Each structure stands twice: as C-alpha cells, then as structure tokens.
Amino acid sequence: AVVPEGADCIVKSEDCLFQNQAVLIYEPCSAAQNIQPQGSIKKTGELLIPKNKRLRAVEIEVLSSAAITDVSVYKKPVISIITTGDELVEAGGVPPVGKRINSNAHLLAALSKETNAEFIIHPPAPDDFAGIKKAVQNAKDADVIITTGGTAHGGQDHILKVLQELGTVHIDKIAVKPGQHFIFATLGEKPVFALPGTPTACLVIFELFIKPSIRKMMGSPKIINDKSRAVSFSSVKKPPGLRNFTGAEIKSLRGKKF
C-alpha cells in the first residue's frame, strides 16, 4: 500500500494496542522502517527476466507484478513415439508366450514428460517395411519422432531402410553400450531418433542425445547434465572400443561420493 503523506515509518499492528481512539506503540520506530521504496526491487529500464529463462512461479510473479500478461515463449515440442515389433502387447495381465509388454512406449513417454515436452504414443508398428514406413509417415505432424526396435542390421530390421528412403540418415551406429545400434536421421528438418528395443538402451540414448536436443529446442541454457566423480564399490567391465554406461546408486560418505 502507498505510505500516507507525512509518514516516514510503518509500525506493525501487532506492536500496537488500540484503545478507544488512541493507539499505544510498544516498539521503537525509526525512519523508513517497514517501508519499501519505489523501485527498490527493479528500476525502470532494468531487465526483469533474461531470455531463455524457464518461467517458474517466481518469474510469473515478477511478470504479473509489473503488469505483464503476455510474453514470447518457446513452443513445447510434440514427440511422436513409435514402437515396432509383432511381439508387443499392451500392459494388463501376463503376456502370452512369445509376446512382451510394450514398456518402451511408457518409458519414453515418461522421459518426454520430464523434459516438459508433449508426446503422442502411436500403436506398435509391425515388423515389416511397409508397416514401419506408414507409421513414420503418420507421425509427420510431430516436431520429433522417436522409434524403438529394428535398428540392427538383421533381416527383420527395417527402420534404417525406411529412413533412408524417407529422409537422410546421419548416424547408423555409435560406440556406446547399451545403445550401439542407434540411428539418427532427419525428415526435412524434423529429427528422428531410432533407438534399439532394449529399455536400458532407450534410457541411455534418451539421456545422451534426445534430452539435450529437446532442451535446445525449448531454449534451455542448460543442455548437458552436470557430471561428478564417484568411487565404485564394485568393478565395472568396459567392452573394448565402446563407452559403457551402467546404472548406479550414488551415496555420500564423509564428503565423498560412492
């Protein structure tokens, strides 16, 4: 509230006693006490929110207090998730012999949600060239396409040939385990990440390549996750010629990480 004309300090009501028309003040009061001068938080011409800053509750309060109701923001990318495989079934009961639950779709959806992106889960595509091609074409309205399965070079692995026909393949294998058979392609300017079918490979490739890409699309100043060193209680075997990624639980003891 505006300080009344002629007043130079504010006394809290809990420090006063109100009797009839009189007010007894029990605490000393000095000039400018409990008064916030105009412009003490931000002055005219100062930057309120820097570019590429994520709008959290604090930033939204700052904008609203300055009577700013409209700001330019990055569009949330829409991710199309396409799993492939004749053996895939949805969760709900024990899968029949020879079938497995389509857990990768839900894994990638949860990972996408963690990045604040929107996602669409498409029905599993069959293990044939025509079916996978149709599934990729049906995802053309998305900003990013992620597929799982069929990235190896076997007879039933068609995603590489589909992407070569529809767009440009930039990477078809990497020296990383798990996730060695990772494919990156573009359909025009649309990125396509083709992941192997194992859940651990999906998780690793998402963290290494997809999450930084989504962050960059959303204008995040932090693209790569922070790194830290830790001491392992057990030996970790490294495949020759490959960078190995393994899961771990981090604990702190006497200022060190294990």
Short mmCIF file of all heavy atoms in Angstrom, two decimals, residues 34-102:
data_model
loop_
_atom_site.label_atom_id
_atom_site.label_comp_id
_atom_site.label_asym_id
_atom_site.label_seq_id
_atom_site.Cartn_x
_atom_site.Cartn_y
_atom_site.Cartn_z
N ASN A 34 10.02 -0.58 7.82
CA ASN A 34 8.95 -1.33 7.16
C ASN A 34 8.42 -0.64 5.89
O ASN A 34 7.27 -0.86 5.49
CB ASN A 34 7.77 -1.60 8.11
CG ASN A 34 8.17 -2.46 9.29
OD1 ASN A 34 8.93 -3.42 9.13
ND2 ASN A 34 7.69 -2.13 10.47
N ILE A 35 9.25 0.20 5.28
CA ILE A 35 8.86 0.86 4.04
C ILE A 35 9.79 0.39 2.92
O ILE A 35 11.02 0.40 3.08
CB ILE A 35 8.94 2.40 4.17
CG1 ILE A 35 7.90 2.90 5.17
CG2 ILE A 35 8.74 3.07 2.81
CD1 ILE A 35 7.94 4.40 5.39
N GLN A 36 9.21 -0.04 1.84
CA GLN A 36 9.99 -0.47 0.68
C GLN A 36 9.91 0.63 -0.37
O GLN A 36 8.86 0.87 -0.97
CB GLN A 36 9.42 -1.77 0.12
CG GLN A 36 10.29 -2.42 -0.95
CD GLN A 36 9.74 -3.77 -1.36
OE1 GLN A 36 8.61 -3.87 -1.84
NE2 GLN A 36 10.53 -4.82 -1.19
N PRO A 37 11.02 1.34 -0.62
CA PRO A 37 10.99 2.48 -1.56
C PRO A 37 10.60 2.02 -2.97
O PRO A 37 10.91 0.90 -3.38
CB PRO A 37 12.42 3.00 -1.53
CG PRO A 37 13.00 2.48 -0.25
CD PRO A 37 12.34 1.16 -0.01
N GLN A 38 9.92 2.87 -3.67
CA GLN A 38 9.55 2.57 -5.05
C GLN A 38 10.81 2.37 -5.89
O GLN A 38 11.75 3.15 -5.84
CB GLN A 38 8.70 3.71 -5.61
CG GLN A 38 8.11 3.41 -6.98
CD GLN A 38 7.20 4.52 -7.46
OE1 GLN A 38 7.18 5.61 -6.89
NE2 GLN A 38 6.44 4.26 -8.51
N GLY A 39 10.83 1.26 -6.65
CA GLY A 39 11.98 0.96 -7.50
C GLY A 39 13.09 0.22 -6.78
O GLY A 39 14.17 0.04 -7.35
N SER A 40 12.85 -0.22 -5.54
CA SER A 40 13.91 -0.92 -4.80
C SER A 40 14.12 -2.34 -5.31
O SER A 40 15.19 -2.92 -5.13
CB SER A 40 13.59 -0.95 -3.30
OG SER A 40 12.34 -1.61 -3.08
N ILE A 41 13.10 -2.94 -5.93
CA ILE A 41 13.25 -4.29 -6.49
C ILE A 41 13.77 -4.21 -7.92
O ILE A 41 14.77 -4.83 -8.27
CB ILE A 41 11.90 -5.03 -6.44
CG1 ILE A 41 11.43 -5.18 -4.98
CG2 ILE A 41 12.03 -6.41 -7.09
CD1 ILE A 41 10.08 -5.83 -4.84
N LYS A 42 13.09 -3.46 -8.76
CA LYS A 42 13.53 -3.24 -10.14
C LYS A 42 13.27 -1.78 -10.50
O LYS A 42 12.22 -1.23 -10.17
CB LYS A 42 12.77 -4.14 -11.11
CG LYS A 42 13.15 -5.61 -11.04
CD LYS A 42 14.55 -5.87 -11.61
CE LYS A 42 14.86 -7.36 -11.60
NZ LYS A 42 16.21 -7.64 -12.14
N LYS A 43 14.24 -1.20 -11.18
CA LYS A 43 14.08 0.18 -11.63
C LYS A 43 13.66 0.22 -13.09
O LYS A 43 13.83 -0.77 -13.83
CB LYS A 43 15.40 0.94 -11.44
CG LYS A 43 15.81 1.13 -9.98
CD LYS A 43 17.10 1.91 -9.88
CE LYS A 43 17.42 2.26 -8.43
NZ LYS A 43 17.54 1.08 -7.57
N THR A 44 13.10 1.32 -13.51
CA THR A 44 12.68 1.49 -14.90
C THR A 44 13.86 1.24 -15.83
O THR A 44 14.94 1.80 -15.65
CB THR A 44 12.14 2.91 -15.12
OG1 THR A 44 11.03 3.13 -14.25
CG2 THR A 44 11.68 3.09 -16.56
N GLY A 45 13.65 0.40 -16.81
CA GLY A 45 14.70 0.08 -17.77
C GLY A 45 15.52 -1.15 -17.42
O GLY A 45 16.27 -1.65 -18.25
N GLU A 46 15.38 -1.65 -16.19
CA GLU A 46 16.11 -2.86 -15.81
C GLU A 46 15.45 -4.10 -16.41
O GLU A 46 14.23 -4.14 -16.63
CB GLU A 46 16.16 -3.01 -14.28
CG GLU A 46 17.23 -2.18 -13.62
CD GLU A 46 17.43 -2.60 -12.16
OE1 GLU A 46 17.72 -3.77 -11.92
OE2 GLU A 46 17.27 -1.73 -11.28
N LEU A 47 16.27 -5.13 -16.65
CA LEU A 47 15.78 -6.39 -17.19
C LEU A 47 15.04 -7.17 -16.11
O LEU A 47 15.57 -7.40 -15.01
CB LEU A 47 16.95 -7.22 -17.73
CG LEU A 47 16.61 -8.57 -18.34
CD1 LEU A 47 15.80 -8.39 -19.62
CD2 LEU A 47 17.89 -9.36 -18.63
N LEU A 48 13.81 -7.58 -16.41
CA LEU A 48 13.03 -8.36 -15.44
C LEU A 48 13.40 -9.84 -15.51
O LEU A 48 13.76 -10.45 -14.51
CB LEU A 48 11.53 -8.18 -15.71
CG LEU A 48 10.90 -6.85 -15.35
CD1 LEU A 48 9.43 -6.86 -15.72
CD2 LEU A 48 11.07 -6.57 -13.86
N ILE A 49 13.28 -10.42 -16.71
CA ILE A 49 13.53 -11.84 -16.91
C ILE A 49 14.46 -11.99 -18.11
O ILE A 49 14.12 -11.51 -19.20
CB ILE A 49 12.23 -12.63 -17.17
CG1 ILE A 49 11.19 -12.36 -16.07
CG2 ILE A 49 12.53 -14.12 -17.27
CD1 ILE A 49 11.55 -12.90 -14.71
N PRO A 50 15.62 -12.64 -17.97
CA PRO A 50 16.50 -12.80 -19.13
C PRO A 50 15.93 -13.79 -20.14
O PRO A 50 15.08 -14.63 -19.82
CB PRO A 50 17.80 -13.34 -18.50
CG PRO A 50 17.36 -14.01 -17.24
CD PRO A 50 16.19 -13.22 -16.75
N LYS A 51 16.41 -13.70 -21.35
CA LYS A 51 15.99 -14.61 -22.40
C LYS A 51 16.38 -16.05 -22.04
O LYS A 51 17.40 -16.29 -21.40
CB LYS A 51 16.65 -14.20 -23.72
CG LYS A 51 16.23 -15.04 -24.92
CD LYS A 51 16.94 -14.55 -26.17
CE LYS A 51 16.54 -15.40 -27.38
NZ LYS A 51 17.23 -14.94 -28.61
N ASN A 52 15.54 -16.99 -22.46
CA ASN A 52 15.76 -18.42 -22.24
C ASN A 52 15.68 -18.83 -20.77
O ASN A 52 16.19 -19.88 -20.38
CB ASN A 52 17.12 -18.88 -22.80
CG ASN A 52 17.17 -18.78 -24.32
OD1 ASN A 52 16.13 -18.79 -24.96
ND2 ASN A 52 18.35 -18.68 -24.87
N LYS A 53 15.03 -18.01 -19.97
CA LYS A 53 14.82 -18.34 -18.57
C LYS A 53 13.50 -19.11 -18.42
O LYS A 53 12.46 -18.70 -18.94
CB LYS A 53 14.75 -17.06 -17.73
CG LYS A 53 14.50 -17.27 -16.24
CD LYS A 53 15.72 -17.82 -15.55
CE LYS A 53 15.53 -17.85 -14.04
NZ LYS A 53 16.71 -18.41 -13.33
N ARG A 54 13.55 -20.23 -17.73
CA ARG A 54 12.33 -21.00 -17.52
C ARG A 54 11.38 -20.24 -16.60
O ARG A 54 11.79 -19.71 -15.56
CB ARG A 54 12.67 -22.36 -16.90
CG ARG A 54 11.46 -23.27 -16.76
CD ARG A 54 11.85 -24.60 -16.16
NE ARG A 54 10.69 -25.45 -15.97
CZ ARG A 54 10.72 -26.64 -15.37
NH1 ARG A 54 11.87 -27.12 -14.94
NH2 ARG A 54 9.62 -27.35 -15.24
N LEU A 55 10.12 -20.18 -17.00
CA LEU A 55 9.13 -19.43 -16.21
C LEU A 55 8.58 -20.32 -15.10
O LEU A 55 7.69 -21.14 -15.33
CB LEU A 55 8.01 -18.92 -17.12
CG LEU A 55 8.41 -17.91 -18.18
CD1 LEU A 55 7.20 -17.42 -18.94
CD2 LEU A 55 9.16 -16.73 -17.56
N ARG A 56 9.12 -20.14 -13.91
CA ARG A 56 8.62 -20.83 -12.73
C ARG A 56 7.64 -19.90 -12.00
O ARG A 56 7.30 -18.83 -12.49
CB ARG A 56 9.78 -21.23 -11.82
CG ARG A 56 10.87 -22.06 -12.51
CD ARG A 56 12.12 -22.09 -11.66
NE ARG A 56 12.62 -20.74 -11.44
CZ ARG A 56 13.58 -20.44 -10.56
NH1 ARG A 56 14.12 -21.38 -9.82
NH2 ARG A 56 13.98 -19.19 -10.42
N ALA A 57 7.22 -20.30 -10.82
CA ALA A 57 6.28 -19.48 -10.06
C ALA A 57 6.87 -18.10 -9.75
O ALA A 57 6.17 -17.08 -9.81
CB ALA A 57 5.89 -20.20 -8.77
N VAL A 58 8.17 -18.06 -9.42
CA VAL A 58 8.81 -16.79 -9.07
C VAL A 58 8.81 -15.83 -10.25
O VAL A 58 8.48 -14.64 -10.12
CB VAL A 58 10.25 -17.04 -8.57
CG1 VAL A 58 10.97 -15.71 -8.37
CG2 VAL A 58 10.24 -17.85 -7.28
N GLU A 59 9.20 -16.34 -11.43
CA GLU A 59 9.25 -15.48 -12.62
C GLU A 59 7.86 -14.98 -13.01
O GLU A 59 7.69 -13.83 -13.43
CB GLU A 59 9.87 -16.23 -13.79
CG GLU A 59 11.38 -16.42 -13.71
CD GLU A 59 11.79 -17.48 -12.71
OE1 GLU A 59 10.99 -18.39 -12.41
OE2 GLU A 59 12.94 -17.41 -12.21
N ILE A 60 6.86 -15.84 -12.86
CA ILE A 60 5.50 -15.44 -13.20
C ILE A 60 5.01 -14.34 -12.25
O ILE A 60 4.33 -13.39 -12.67
CB ILE A 60 4.56 -16.66 -13.17
CG1 ILE A 60 4.92 -17.60 -14.33
CG2 ILE A 60 3.10 -16.24 -13.26
CD1 ILE A 60 4.18 -18.91 -14.32
N GLU A 61 5.39 -14.42 -10.98
CA GLU A 61 5.01 -13.37 -10.03
C GLU A 61 5.66 -12.05 -10.40
O GLU A 61 5.03 -11.00 -10.33
CB GLU A 61 5.42 -13.79 -8.61
CG GLU A 61 4.92 -12.87 -7.51
CD GLU A 61 5.75 -11.60 -7.34
OE1 GLU A 61 6.97 -11.67 -7.61
OE2 GLU A 61 5.19 -10.56 -6.95
N VAL A 62 6.94 -12.10 -10.80
CA VAL A 62 7.64 -10.88 -11.18
C VAL A 62 6.96 -10.23 -12.38
O VAL A 62 6.74 -9.01 -12.42
CB VAL A 62 9.12 -11.19 -11.50
CG1 VAL A 62 9.80 -9.98 -12.14
CG2 VAL A 62 9.86 -11.61 -10.23
N LEU A 63 6.62 -11.04 -13.39
CA LEU A 63 5.96 -10.51 -14.58
C LEU A 63 4.60 -9.91 -14.25
O LEU A 63 4.26 -8.82 -14.70
CB LEU A 63 5.80 -11.62 -15.62
CG LEU A 63 7.10 -12.13 -16.27
CD1 LEU A 63 6.82 -13.36 -17.11
CD2 LEU A 63 7.76 -11.05 -17.11
N SER A 64 3.82 -10.63 -13.44
CA SER A 64 2.48 -10.13 -13.12
C SER A 64 2.54 -8.87 -12.27
O SER A 64 1.70 -7.97 -12.41
CB SER A 64 1.67 -11.22 -12.40
OG SER A 64 2.29 -11.58 -11.17
N SER A 65 3.55 -8.76 -11.39
CA SER A 65 3.67 -7.56 -10.56
C SER A 65 4.04 -6.34 -11.40
O SER A 65 3.78 -5.21 -11.00
CB SER A 65 4.72 -7.76 -9.47
OG SER A 65 6.01 -7.91 -10.03
N ALA A 66 4.62 -6.58 -12.58
CA ALA A 66 4.93 -5.49 -13.49
C ALA A 66 3.84 -5.30 -14.54
O ALA A 66 4.05 -4.61 -15.53
CB ALA A 66 6.27 -5.77 -14.19
N ALA A 67 2.68 -5.94 -14.30
CA ALA A 67 1.51 -5.82 -15.18
C ALA A 67 1.79 -6.37 -16.59
O ALA A 67 1.20 -5.92 -17.56
CB ALA A 67 1.05 -4.36 -15.27
N ILE A 68 2.67 -7.37 -16.67
CA ILE A 68 2.96 -8.02 -17.95
C ILE A 68 2.19 -9.33 -18.01
O ILE A 68 2.39 -10.23 -17.19
CB ILE A 68 4.47 -8.29 -18.11
CG1 ILE A 68 5.25 -6.96 -18.10
CG2 ILE A 68 4.75 -9.07 -19.39
CD1 ILE A 68 6.75 -7.13 -18.10
N THR A 69 1.29 -9.42 -18.95
CA THR A 69 0.44 -10.60 -19.05
C THR A 69 0.76 -11.46 -20.28
O THR A 69 0.28 -12.59 -20.37
CB THR A 69 -1.04 -10.20 -19.10
OG1 THR A 69 -1.25 -9.30 -20.21
CG2 THR A 69 -1.45 -9.49 -17.81
N ASP A 70 1.51 -10.93 -21.23
CA ASP A 70 1.84 -11.68 -22.45
C ASP A 70 3.35 -11.64 -22.67
O ASP A 70 3.96 -10.57 -22.68
CB ASP A 70 1.14 -11.09 -23.67
CG ASP A 70 -0.38 -11.22 -23.58
OD1 ASP A 70 -0.84 -12.36 -23.49
OD2 ASP A 70 -1.05 -10.19 -23.58
N VAL A 71 3.95 -12.82 -22.84
CA VAL A 71 5.38 -12.91 -23.14
C VAL A 71 5.58 -13.95 -24.25
O VAL A 71 4.74 -14.84 -24.44
CB VAL A 71 6.21 -13.33 -21.90
CG1 VAL A 71 6.20 -12.24 -20.85
CG2 VAL A 71 5.70 -14.64 -21.32
N SER A 72 6.66 -13.82 -24.97
CA SER A 72 7.00 -14.78 -26.03
C SER A 72 7.74 -15.96 -25.40
O SER A 72 8.70 -15.78 -24.65
CB SER A 72 7.89 -14.12 -27.09
OG SER A 72 7.19 -13.07 -27.73
N VAL A 73 7.28 -17.16 -25.70
CA VAL A 73 7.89 -18.37 -25.15
C VAL A 73 8.15 -19.37 -26.27
O VAL A 73 7.62 -19.24 -27.38
CB VAL A 73 6.99 -19.02 -24.08
CG1 VAL A 73 6.79 -18.08 -22.90
CG2 VAL A 73 5.64 -19.42 -24.66
N TYR A 74 8.98 -20.35 -25.97
CA TYR A 74 9.22 -21.43 -26.92
C TYR A 74 8.04 -22.39 -26.90
O TYR A 74 7.47 -22.69 -25.84
CB TYR A 74 10.49 -22.20 -26.56
CG TYR A 74 11.76 -21.44 -26.82
CD1 TYR A 74 12.32 -20.64 -25.83
CD2 TYR A 74 12.41 -21.51 -28.05
CE1 TYR A 74 13.50 -19.94 -26.05
CE2 TYR A 74 13.59 -20.82 -28.29
CZ TYR A 74 14.12 -20.03 -27.29
OH TYR A 74 15.29 -19.34 -27.52
N LYS A 75 7.68 -22.88 -28.06
CA LYS A 75 6.62 -23.88 -28.16
C LYS A 75 7.12 -25.22 -27.61
O LYS A 75 8.25 -25.62 -27.88
CB LYS A 75 6.20 -24.04 -29.62
CG LYS A 75 5.22 -25.18 -29.88
CD LYS A 75 4.94 -25.30 -31.36
CE LYS A 75 4.04 -26.50 -31.66
NZ LYS A 75 4.74 -27.78 -31.41
N LYS A 76 6.29 -25.87 -26.83
CA LYS A 76 6.66 -27.21 -26.36
C LYS A 76 6.70 -28.16 -27.55
O LYS A 76 5.72 -28.28 -28.28
CB LYS A 76 5.64 -27.72 -25.34
CG LYS A 76 5.70 -27.07 -23.98
CD LYS A 76 4.74 -27.74 -23.02
CE LYS A 76 4.85 -27.14 -21.62
NZ LYS A 76 3.94 -27.84 -20.66
N PRO A 77 7.83 -28.84 -27.78
CA PRO A 77 7.87 -29.77 -28.90
C PRO A 77 6.95 -30.96 -28.67
O PRO A 77 6.78 -31.42 -27.53
CB PRO A 77 9.34 -30.21 -28.95
CG PRO A 77 9.86 -29.94 -27.58
CD PRO A 77 9.11 -28.77 -27.05
N VAL A 78 6.35 -31.43 -29.74
CA VAL A 78 5.50 -32.62 -29.69
C VAL A 78 6.31 -33.81 -30.19
O VAL A 78 6.87 -33.77 -31.28
CB VAL A 78 4.23 -32.44 -30.54
CG1 VAL A 78 3.39 -33.72 -30.53
CG2 VAL A 78 3.42 -31.26 -30.04
N ILE A 79 6.38 -34.85 -29.38
CA ILE A 79 7.18 -36.03 -29.71
C ILE A 79 6.26 -37.19 -30.07
O ILE A 79 5.35 -37.53 -29.31
CB ILE A 79 8.07 -36.42 -28.53
CG1 ILE A 79 9.01 -35.26 -28.16
CG2 ILE A 79 8.87 -37.68 -28.84
CD1 ILE A 79 9.82 -35.51 -26.92
N SER A 80 6.48 -37.77 -31.23
CA SER A 80 5.77 -38.98 -31.63
C SER A 80 6.60 -40.19 -31.24
O SER A 80 7.79 -40.28 -31.60
CB SER A 80 5.51 -39.00 -33.14
OG SER A 80 4.35 -38.27 -33.45
N ILE A 81 6.01 -41.10 -30.49
CA ILE A 81 6.70 -42.31 -30.02
C ILE A 81 6.14 -43.51 -30.78
O ILE A 81 4.95 -43.81 -30.70
CB ILE A 81 6.50 -42.50 -28.51
CG1 ILE A 81 7.08 -41.29 -27.76
CG2 ILE A 81 7.14 -43.79 -28.03
CD1 ILE A 81 6.74 -41.26 -26.29
N ILE A 82 7.01 -44.18 -31.54
CA ILE A 82 6.61 -45.33 -32.35
C ILE A 82 7.43 -46.54 -31.92
O ILE A 82 8.65 -46.55 -32.08
CB ILE A 82 6.83 -45.08 -33.85
CG1 ILE A 82 6.11 -43.81 -34.31
CG2 ILE A 82 6.39 -46.28 -34.67
CD1 ILE A 82 6.45 -43.39 -35.73
N THR A 83 6.78 -47.53 -31.35
CA THR A 83 7.46 -48.79 -31.05
C THR A 83 7.19 -49.76 -32.19
O THR A 83 6.15 -49.70 -32.85
CB THR A 83 6.97 -49.38 -29.73
OG1 THR A 83 5.53 -49.43 -29.73
CG2 THR A 83 7.40 -48.52 -28.55
N THR A 84 8.13 -50.66 -32.43
CA THR A 84 7.98 -51.62 -33.53
C THR A 84 8.16 -53.03 -32.99
O THR A 84 8.93 -53.28 -32.07
CB THR A 84 9.01 -51.37 -34.64
OG1 THR A 84 10.33 -51.63 -34.13
CG2 THR A 84 8.95 -49.93 -35.13
N GLY A 85 7.43 -53.97 -33.58
CA GLY A 85 7.57 -55.37 -33.19
C GLY A 85 6.24 -56.09 -33.17
O GLY A 85 5.28 -55.62 -32.55
N ASP A 86 6.20 -57.23 -33.85
CA ASP A 86 4.97 -58.05 -33.85
C ASP A 86 4.70 -58.66 -32.48
O ASP A 86 3.57 -59.10 -32.21
CB ASP A 86 5.10 -59.17 -34.89
CG ASP A 86 5.21 -58.63 -36.31
OD1 ASP A 86 4.57 -57.59 -36.60
OD2 ASP A 86 5.93 -59.22 -37.13
N GLU A 87 5.71 -58.69 -31.62
CA GLU A 87 5.57 -59.36 -30.33
C GLU A 87 5.02 -58.46 -29.23
O GLU A 87 4.78 -58.91 -28.12
CB GLU A 87 6.93 -59.92 -29.89
CG GLU A 87 7.91 -58.90 -29.33
CD GLU A 87 8.62 -58.08 -30.40
OE1 GLU A 87 8.26 -58.18 -31.58
OE2 GLU A 87 9.53 -57.31 -30.04
N LEU A 88 4.79 -57.17 -29.53
CA LEU A 88 4.41 -56.22 -28.50
C LEU A 88 2.92 -56.29 -28.16
O LEU A 88 2.07 -56.35 -29.05
CB LEU A 88 4.77 -54.80 -28.93
CG LEU A 88 6.26 -54.50 -29.14
CD1 LEU A 88 6.45 -53.06 -29.59
CD2 LEU A 88 7.05 -54.78 -27.87
N VAL A 89 2.62 -56.25 -26.87
CA VAL A 89 1.25 -56.18 -26.37
C VAL A 89 1.21 -55.11 -25.29
O VAL A 89 2.23 -54.77 -24.69
CB VAL A 89 0.74 -57.53 -25.82
CG1 VAL A 89 0.66 -58.56 -26.92
CG2 VAL A 89 1.64 -58.01 -24.68
N GLU A 90 0.03 -54.55 -25.04
CA GLU A 90 -0.11 -53.54 -24.01
C GLU A 90 -0.14 -54.17 -22.63
O GLU A 90 -0.45 -55.35 -22.46
CB GLU A 90 -1.38 -52.72 -24.25
CG GLU A 90 -1.29 -51.81 -25.47
CD GLU A 90 -0.09 -50.89 -25.43
OE1 GLU A 90 0.16 -50.30 -24.36
OE2 GLU A 90 0.61 -50.77 -26.45
N ALA A 91 0.20 -53.36 -21.63
CA ALA A 91 0.23 -53.83 -20.25
C ALA A 91 -1.17 -54.20 -19.78
O ALA A 91 -2.15 -53.56 -20.15
CB ALA A 91 0.82 -52.76 -19.34
N GLY A 92 -1.24 -55.23 -18.96
CA GLY A 92 -2.52 -55.70 -18.44
C GLY A 92 -2.56 -57.21 -18.40
O GLY A 92 -3.01 -57.85 -19.35
N GLY A 93 -2.06 -57.77 -17.33
CA GLY A 93 -2.02 -59.22 -17.22
C GLY A 93 -0.72 -59.79 -17.77
O GLY A 93 0.14 -59.08 -18.29
N VAL A 94 -0.59 -61.10 -17.67
CA VAL A 94 0.61 -61.79 -18.13
C VAL A 94 0.54 -61.93 -19.65
O VAL A 94 -0.45 -62.43 -20.18
CB VAL A 94 0.73 -63.18 -17.48
CG1 VAL A 94 1.97 -63.91 -18.00
CG2 VAL A 94 0.78 -63.04 -15.96
N PRO A 95 1.56 -61.48 -20.38
CA PRO A 95 1.53 -61.59 -21.85
C PRO A 95 1.60 -63.05 -22.30
O PRO A 95 2.22 -63.88 -21.62
CB PRO A 95 2.78 -60.81 -22.28
CG PRO A 95 3.69 -60.86 -21.11
CD PRO A 95 2.81 -60.85 -19.90
N PRO A 96 0.99 -63.39 -23.42
CA PRO A 96 1.07 -64.76 -23.94
C PRO A 96 2.51 -65.14 -24.26
O PRO A 96 3.39 -64.28 -24.38
CB PRO A 96 0.22 -64.69 -25.22
CG PRO A 96 -0.62 -63.47 -25.07
CD PRO A 96 0.17 -62.51 -24.26
N VAL A 97 2.74 -66.43 -24.41
CA VAL A 97 4.07 -66.92 -24.76
C VAL A 97 4.50 -66.32 -26.11
O VAL A 97 3.73 -66.31 -27.07
CB VAL A 97 4.08 -68.47 -24.85
CG1 VAL A 97 5.45 -68.96 -25.30
CG2 VAL A 97 3.73 -69.06 -23.50
N GLY A 98 5.72 -65.81 -26.15
CA GLY A 98 6.23 -65.20 -27.38
C GLY A 98 5.92 -63.73 -27.51
O GLY A 98 6.35 -63.09 -28.48
N LYS A 99 5.17 -63.18 -26.57
CA LYS A 99 4.84 -61.75 -26.59
C LYS A 99 5.52 -61.05 -25.41
O LYS A 99 5.90 -61.69 -24.43
CB LYS A 99 3.32 -61.53 -26.50
CG LYS A 99 2.53 -62.18 -27.63
CD LYS A 99 2.77 -61.48 -28.96
CE LYS A 99 1.89 -62.07 -30.06
NZ LYS A 99 2.10 -61.39 -31.36
N ARG A 100 5.68 -59.73 -25.53
CA ARG A 100 6.21 -58.96 -24.40
C ARG A 100 5.50 -57.61 -24.33
O ARG A 100 5.01 -57.08 -25.34
CB ARG A 100 7.72 -58.78 -24.50
CG ARG A 100 8.22 -57.93 -25.63
CD ARG A 100 9.75 -57.88 -25.64
NE ARG A 100 10.26 -57.03 -26.70
CZ ARG A 100 10.50 -55.73 -26.57
NH1 ARG A 100 10.22 -55.12 -25.42
NH2 ARG A 100 10.98 -55.02 -27.57
N ILE A 101 5.45 -57.08 -23.12
CA ILE A 101 4.72 -55.84 -22.87
C ILE A 101 5.45 -54.66 -23.51
O ILE A 101 6.69 -54.58 -23.46
CB ILE A 101 4.54 -55.62 -21.36
CG1 ILE A 101 3.64 -56.72 -20.78
CG2 ILE A 101 3.95 -54.24 -21.07
CD1 ILE A 101 3.51 -56.68 -19.27
N ASN A 102 4.71 -53.76 -24.08
CA ASN A 102 5.25 -52.59 -24.77
C ASN A 102 5.66 -51.53 -23.74
O ASN A 102 5.10 -50.43 -23.68
CB ASN A 102 4.21 -52.03 -25.74
CG ASN A 102 4.76 -50.91 -26.59
OD1 ASN A 102 5.96 -50.73 -26.69
ND2 ASN A 102 3.86 -50.16 -27.22
#
